[in-house]
């Protein structure tokens, strides 16, 4: 799919096609404050359509077997074609009220130091449904893909991946990847299932 962006009307392509005509499918679009070639974290949104189009396939990353078969993503711009290695997949809340007045900030683009980045990326690993074994550091270029899921109202599925580094093999050894036995979900997820929230 093409990826669109508008700075003055950020959610325009949520309900508009590539030619700007109205469409319930929309088209994948980039967060308004991201800049190709400048931002270290490109955040892309797309609908989860029932017919499997747009970003619906992202939900398949909840399956370890799907991840093992598809550990990388490709994203092309006018400047280059890049392969990204998936390092985290998780369910996120869009409303603060669903997680003790907190939303994990998936769109951060700047960090005070290595420790600040490690704290931020560490939360993605803690939340991830799959322990991928793929590392990420402050100097990496990240792509963050977001779509709706139906674990609870306004739930989102997030797939985070980092660009293959210079002189790094683009393939991923997925043999050691495994399901995370206790990923962190938003508090609403536990409440809806009558479970205690284990992260207070």
């Amino acid at each position: 799919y093409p990826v669109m962006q508008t700075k003055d009307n950020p959610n325009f392509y949520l309900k508009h096609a590539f030619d700007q005509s109205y469409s319930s499918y929309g088209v994948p679009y980039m967060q308004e404050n991201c800049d190709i070639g400048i931002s270290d974290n490109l955040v892309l949104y797309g609908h989860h359509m029932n017919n499997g189009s747009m970003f619906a396939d992202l939900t398949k990353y909840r399956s370890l077997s799907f991840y093992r078969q598809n550990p990388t993503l490709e994203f092309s711009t006018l400047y280059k074609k890049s392969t990204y290695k998936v390092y985290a997949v998780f369910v996120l809340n869009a409303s603060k009220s669903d997680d003790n007045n907190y939303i994990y900030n998936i769109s951060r683009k700047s960090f005070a130091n290595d420790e600040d980045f490690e704290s931020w990326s560490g939360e993605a690993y803690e939340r991830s449904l799959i322990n991928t074994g793929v590392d990420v550091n402050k100097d990496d270029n990240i792509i963050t893909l977001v779509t709706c899921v139906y674990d609870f109202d306004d739930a989102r599925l997030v797939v985070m991946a980092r660009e293959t580094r210079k002189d790094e093999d683009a393939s991923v050894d997925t043999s050691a990847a495994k399901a995370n036995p206790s990923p962190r979900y938003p508090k609403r997820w536990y409440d809806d299932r009558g479970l205690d929230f284990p992260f207070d």
Side-chain angles (χ1 to χ4, degrees), residues 38-166:
I38 298 175
S39 299
D40 294 334
N41 182 12
L42 303 177
V43 184
L44 278 57
Y45 300 90
H47 277 302
H48 173 188
M49 303 304 293
N50 289 333
N51 66 0
S53 63
M54 297 301 155
F55 274 9
D57 275 351
L58 290 183
T59 63
K60 295 179 181 178
Y61 275 105
R62 301 180 80 147
S63 161
L64 178 59
S65 61
F66 182 84
Y67 166 74
R68 284 179 169 159
Q69 295 169 16
N70 303 273
T72 62
L73 309 169
E74 287 188 355
F75 180 60
S76 299
T77 70
L78 293 175
Y79 311 104
K80 63 178 179 177
K81 178 179 180 179
S82 297
T83 298
Y84 289 76
K85 299 185 176 186
V86 174
Y87 67 86
V89 180
F90 54 91
V91 175
L92 186 67
N93 51 303
S95 172
K96 287 185 175 182
S97 63
D98 286 329
D99 199 17
N100 286 335
N101 204 36
Y102 175 71
I103 299 177
Y104 172 49
N105 185 1
I106 57 173
S107 60
R108 284 191 64 184
K109 298 172 186 65
S110 62
F111 302 90
N113 48 45
D114 289 343
E115 290 73 20
D116 184 25
F117 178 84
E118 289 168 7
S119 175
W120 178 76
S121 60
E123 184 167 344
Y125 285 122
E126 180 183 41
R127 291 174 178 271
S128 187
L129 307 177
I130 297 172
N131 295 327
T132 64
V134 176
D135 67 323
V136 62
N137 64 53
K138 190 165 69 71
D139 297 322
D140 285 325
N141 292 318
I142 295 169
I143 192 166
T144 300
L145 309 180
V146 186
T147 196
C148 292
V149 284
Y150 306 107
D151 294 56
F152 52 86
D153 290 344
D154 290 330
R156 302 289 185 266
L157 187 84
V158 179
V159 176
M160 304 187 83
R162 56 101 171 148
E163 189 174 16
T164 300
R165 299 165 187 150
K166 185 178 179 181

